[in-house]
Structures are given as structure tokens and as C-alpha cells.
Amino acid sequence: MKRETRLFDELDRFAGGGEITHALGLSFGYDGDLANERLWKPLVEKYGLRHPLVIADGVVDAGTALGVHVLRARRPSGVFHSKLFLAVRDGAVFAAIGSANLTRGGLGANLELLTPLVFAPDAERSPPRSVLEEILAFVRRVAGNLHVAEDSIERVLDVVDQATLVLDDLPAPRRGLDLRFFHSYEVPIWEQLRDLHGDDPVQHLLVVSPFLEADKPEAEGADSLLRHALGEGLPWAPRAKTPRLSLCTDAIDPNKPMPLPRLALEELAAAVEIRAQALSAEPRRLHGKLVAIFGKKRTTVLWGSPNFTPSALLRAARDRGNAECALALSMPASSADTADVLEEFDLGDLFHVYRGPLPLALIPAPPPPLIFDVGEALYDPKTRVLVVCGEAWSPSVDRIRVLAVEQQGTQVLFEGALLGAGKYAFEIQGPLLEEEDPETGRRRLRTLALRLEALDSGGAVLDAREVRPNVRFEDALALRENLLIETEAIAADALLMPTATPEQRATAIDAQIEAWKAARQGEQKGPTLHQASLDTFFRNVRLGLDKQENGLVGRRCSRFALRRWSGDLRRSLTSACAGSIDGLRCAYLVARVAEHVARVLDMVPPCHEDPAPAYAAMEAEKLAAALESVSLAGGVQQELLDEVRVARDSAAALLRRIAAGEQVAPPKGNDAERPKRRARRST
């Protein structure tokens, strides 16, 4: 290809030195350890990503990094084959659509097609906002089909909600490229492509696909896509030249059986020109997919996840087809003819005309019917509850057994009955999944593997799955080195308020882990509840809140900025209520936050003609609940505690009135100021 596009390089450009707040990857197949090393770890450490998310089907190896939340999207017929990467930063959304999975092949070893798009109000050539609308609607549809914990679905939808805040600020549609985003949930992609091209007579068809239909059409339960495309599937010009179709595919060895549609190719004969990959020009395995329709007046191009197969293009997901997604572009024929497309993608050099004998057809055996699968196993370290979700498709499944896989063998954690085929969800209270880490003395999981077995009424194992448990977390750094240290991680003085860069936050956690290890070895005294001195703590809180306020002023209290502001405050308050800081620090934090909230609420109306959407973006009810959750007791004068409670209750009441849709003005008096001054005197 003329320009190599690597996903992380594009994300690096997108971040622009700032932070990426949300990211979600859709993939068929997943290599967790490789994706973490090349993608997720630098996004967390360099760009501050707090909650990496992956939705995948196929061969899913979640890897050993617990700081990546992996959800499975298995389907009983067809596969979840979409490839999409979505990322959000302040004021912009990044979407990469193409053929690349989050696997070793997709992250560099294969020859892929990938298109990065950046949607931003101030972008010079932002793609049509309708493309982002369709992408977000598609992700919502994907989330609705997952058989996972409700909390995990909310995590996916949170990415969509954050991106929607950017979408709402994008300019109105203007004339430009006719770029579309297609998915296959309701309507087959081929039908959408055909409608986009219209009735313009087709003169030539170009296809790039590493996988093609089975030799016998009945093996896929649909007509041959080759026959359909060269027949009534397109409005062919009466005098279209032969060959009508240029079919670019894998390298061909006539002595080695291949999954080629030999019967259809022999029948269509001269209508199809086969172009095989020239390994001397490009040794990487072909995995990119492209369909280009050349008409008299228009050229229409489709690229993304669909192979040139009936299950990918001719059938919708609801009709036993794959769940696919792609971009499509329609343009005047004068802008791109066959020679232009061949040159743009280097197809003339990568694929050479093959005139040898066709190899024997390799017909893959149909996969066995699915009996059951696991959407996820989610463990909450705070409540010590394991939630197991999935779906059973066979009526023979009587119950599900959950086992922990350890070096010494397996240990049964749970066995629960099902009410026939359908979705299932079990809550397992207090499973023995934790142990003490010998190096740090902190909590960690005993195992990174759970085995789930589907049993019949007689107790026989019908099928089994092995999955890595997800861990519920707010910040990926809270699972550094796979330790369950969310309270300690978020309570570090560099983390309590977001004044530090992502690199500084990671360094602070690493230093704390090393201190635990040294204390464990008797080299130094163990760290106290909070490593910062009282004065340093007060300064960090003050500077952190000032930075938050200045950031909101700079962004004119945009909805995106308010949503992030609310989330940062809630994380800090959650840290305090988890017992990571003492009573005096809690009182100071709550007093300062109450005062700060009142000021921010006063800043919103001047920045918005209608402040209601901005108030809604800040999730006021959640912030009020977080503010009230901090315990105010211990080591603090009663008079001070009473004043802090008054300030907190006032701020919480104001937030709840806003959450209820009331138009309110925050108090102008000094009630919130007094606890701050009293907290200073008490030090």
C-alpha cells in the first residue's frame, strides 16, 4: 500500500499531547497480551485512558492484563466479525474502520486496509457527522446484543455517550464526499451497497478478499455471491467488457487445495479474472477486503470487515449472517476509474493475473452447533461477588458449573440450574478467588482462568469454555501488576485530584508498589494510609480543584468537560469513602469539593443559552451520591464536622435539584467558605 497506517500511530496523532478518556475495540479474535503491549498499556500510561474495553468473537485470548475489560459477543449463527476502534478525547472522536483485528496479524503481521477518521468541530476536513451517528448507533446495537453484566453494558454505552457529546457539537452537514457507514444487523451490506450505487450501469467489478464462498453454495445456505454479483445483483451495462470481475485473493498453488469457489469460477469462466497475491512483492498475509463497482457515471467502493462471502454480504445478521461493518464511498466515475483504484491501493503490483489451473476446492467442514457460551465472568473486589453471564442455545443444558483453574487442579466455585435454553446470569457470593501477593502483601487474584461447563441432567459435560475473569475497576492503574489496589492507587497524593500527567500517575503507583515490596522485605517502614503530609495533601486538593475549574473555564463549561469533571470528582470522593484517608483529610476534601461544586454550578448558565443539557451531562445525581458517601468522623472537632455536613448537604441538595430538571442558582453566601477556613485552623 502507498501509505502504511498503524493504529497506535494514528491514535498518537489524534491525542495531540492530550488525554484519551475512552476507548473501545471491536474485533474478531483477540490477542490480549500483544494488544496490551502494543496498544492498551501505552494508551493508559501515556494518554491517561482509564477503562480499556474490547468486544470480540472468535478465538479470544483475554491475556494476563486485568486492566483491560474483555467482553465476548458469540452468536449461535454467523459470527461477530466487525472491526472498529473508537476513542474519545476532549472535543473529538476517533474511529478506525477496516479489516484489522486486535491480533498479531491485525496489529502488523497482515496486509490490512484501515481508515482512521477524526470527528471534531474545528477539524478542517471532518467526515460527515452522519457517519459518526451511524457508528454510535451500531455500537449501541452491539451493546444491546451482549450477554454480559449490566455494569459492563453501561461501560460500553458510556463510550457512546461521551462520543455523542462531541457529535452534538459537530457542524451541520455540508456537501462533500458521499461517505457512509454500513452494518449488517438489519439489512444485508450488499443491498445497502447496491442502493448507494443506484441504477448506473456497471461496467466492471473489482474484489479484494482473502476468503471466498464455499465451493458448494448450499454449504452456506445461500446463493453464490459470485453468481449473484455477476447476474441480477448489479445493474450491468449490456455491453460491459469481459472480464467483468477482477478477483484479487491469496497466492495460489495449483497443487494445494484452497477454499476457492471452483464450481462457480468454472461456470463463469471468462467473466472472472483471477489475480493472485504476488508474495515476492508482498509477503505479508492478505487480510484486507474491498469491493469496487465501476459504473458509467459513478464509482462506488466498499471496504471494512466483510469478506466476499454470502454470510458477510448477502445476509443480514438477523437472518443467520455475520455481524459486519464497513465504509462505503460513492463518487463520480471521472474521480476514480479502475486504473485509479488499482494504482491507489497498489493492486497492480500486489496481485498478478493467474492463468494456471484451479486448485482442488477445500471445503471446510461445517462447525458443530453451539451449545452454550460465556459473555463474561465479572469479579468485584469491593463486594467480593463474581457474576457469570452468557447464553445456552441447546435445550439439553441443565445447569452450569464454574470452576477455578489453578496449578494444583480445579476447584468448584458454583453449580447452578438453568430454566432451559436462553440467557443466564449467576451471582456467586464470596468465591475463593483472592490471595495475598507474597511480594507486596496486597490482594491479588489466585487464578486468571475460570472453566465453565455446560452439564446435562445426568451431570455429563456437554461443552466447556475457559475464560479469564474481568475485574470491576474505575482506573486501569488500580490493577497495576494485577494487584487489586484500587483504593491505594487512587488515594496516592499525585492521584487524589487529577493534577498529575498520566506518566506521573503511573510512576506514583509504581513507587508505591516498590515501597510495599521493600516494607515486605523489612528494608523500610511500610507506607502510611496516605503518603502525603497534611500540608501537601491540602495543596494537592486545592491545586487539583483549581486546575479543574480553569479547565472548565477554558472549555466554556462544555458538556464533555462537565462530564469528565464530574467523573474525576466522583473518583476522588470514592477514594475517600473507601477509607484511604483519615478523618481530617476527608473533612477538608468534602469542604473544598462542596465549595468547588457551588462555584462550578454558578459558571454553567453564562456559558449556555439553555443550561439544561450541560447540567444533564454532569450526572448531578451520581455526584451528589458520591459527595454524601464520604464518612465524616474521627479525629476532627465536632463543630467543624457540623459545618462541613451543612456545606455538603447544601451542595448535594443543589445537585439533586439540578438532576430533577430544576433551573436553580447556587447560593452566593459564605456557608461553603467557612469549613475551608476552619479546616485550615484545625491543622
Side-chain angles (χ1 to χ4, degrees), residues 50 475 477 486-501 504-506 508-509 512 529-548 564-593 596 630:
R50 297 187 185 275
D475 192 325
L477 291 176
E486 182 139 29
T487 300
E488 295 93 331
I490 295 178
D493 61 301
L495 294 172
L496 189 65
M497 286 294 171
T499 58
T501 65
Q504 289 171 331
R505 293 201 293 264
I509 300 250
Q512 195 162 22
L529 201 60
H530 193 284
Q531 70 223 46
S533 68
L534 213 55
D535 287 341
T536 302
F537 176 84
F538 289 167
R539 185 179 68 250
N540 284 347
V541 172
R542 192 166 58 250
L543 292 176
L545 291 174
D546 288 346
K547 181 179 179 181
Q548 290 280 6
R564 185 175 181 189
W565 164 80
S566 175
D568 287 340
L569 284 189
R570 296 200 309 267
R571 272 190 291 270
S572 296
L573 293 167
T574 300
S575 152
C577 74
S580 62
I581 55 178
D582 58 26
L584 183 57
R585 288 181 173 88
C586 280
Y588 183 85
L589 173 65
V590 170
R592 275 290 191 173
V593 169
H596 170 74
V630 182

Side-chain angles (χ1 to χ4, degrees), residues 368-530:
L370 285 174
I371 294 176
F372 91 118
D373 216 318
V374 184
E376 78 164 331
L378 177 63
Y379 180 67
D380 189 338
K382 294 179 181 177
T383 61
R384 288 180 165 83
V385 172
L386 176 68
V387 178
V388 179
C389 304
E391 185 170 9
W393 293 289
S394 170
S396 300
V397 179
D398 182 69
R399 56 192 186 275
I400 300 291
R401 183 162 60 201
V402 183
L403 305 98
V405 180
E406 302 175 359
Q407 289 183 347
Q408 299 80 6
T410 59
Q411 177 183 354
V412 177
L413 301 177
F414 176 82
E415 191 169 310
L418 296 182
L419 299 176
K423 296 181 182 179
Y424 64 83
F426 299 113
E427 279 195 5
I428 307 171
Q429 301 287 336
L432 299 177
L433 284 181
E434 291 188 20
E435 65 181 6
E436 182 182 280
D437 176 49
E439 287 191 295
T440 63
R442 266 40 208 182
R443 298 159 59 197
R444 72 177 186 186
L445 291 186
R446 297 179 57 177
T447 177
L448 294 180
L450 298 177
R451 177 180 170 86
L452 278 80
E453 298 175 342
L455 311 178
D456 65 14
S457 57
V461 177
L462 299 173
D463 200 0
R465 296 284 184 274
E466 191 167 298
V467 300
R468 190 213 69 191
N470 287 325
V471 174
R472 191 182 187 281
F473 63 91
E474 298 297 330
D475 192 325
L477 291 176
L479 296 171
R480 197 79 165 166
E481 297 190 13
N482 285 352
L483 299 173
L484 306 179
I485 54 172
E486 182 139 29
T487 300
E488 295 93 331
I490 295 178
D493 61 301
L495 294 172
L496 189 65
M497 286 294 171
T499 58
T501 65
E503 292 95 334
Q504 289 171 331
R505 293 201 293 264
T507 300
I509 300 250
D510 290 339
Q512 195 162 22
I513 291 174
E514 290 304 315
W516 287 329
K517 291 178 179 179
R520 192 75 169 173
Q521 296 170 1
E523 297 176 6
Q524 66 183 49
K525 184 179 178 181
T528 57
L529 201 60
H530 193 284

